Amino acid sequence: AYGSYRDALRRGESERAKKILAEEKDKLQKYRMVERVKRNEALINARIRVIEASKNMSGRDKRIQIDRLQQRKSELAQQLAPR
């Protein structure tokens, strides 16, 4: 749905884009949410890699920080779970 919508906009087909938006509103909203969660998870993964590579933190401190970040990733994933 998102690809069709973006394609219509890119081609200047505003009526087609409006129609897609009206018919696929739920899918387009979910797409935005999924993309936001993916971006946030990617940032968390990058932070985890920095922590893992750190020479200044103890193993215990690394574990605590990584566990917190993993918990945050889990919370993000829960936002996508059907209710």
Side-chain angles (χ1 to χ4, degrees), residues 37-54:
V37 168
K38 283 171 46 178
R39 275 192 306 275
N40 287 332
E41 284 186 342
L43 292 172
I44 291 171
N45 288 337
R47 289 175 60 192
I48 289 172
R49 286 191 296 277
V50 168
I51 292 167
E52 289 171 340
S54 174

Side-chain angles (χ1 to χ4, degrees), residues 12-39:
E13 300 172 355
S14 58
E15 289 304 315
R16 182 171 158 242
K18 286 179 188 177
K19 181 180 177 187
I20 293 169
L21 185 59
E23 292 175 355
E24 305 290 351
K25 188 175 182 176
D26 290 342
K27 288 180 184 178
L28 292 169
Q29 287 175 336
K30 288 177 186 177
Y31 174 84
R32 290 184 190 113
M33 185 185 315
V34 168
E35 288 302 307
R36 186 173 39 251
V37 168
K38 283 171 46 178
R39 275 192 306 275

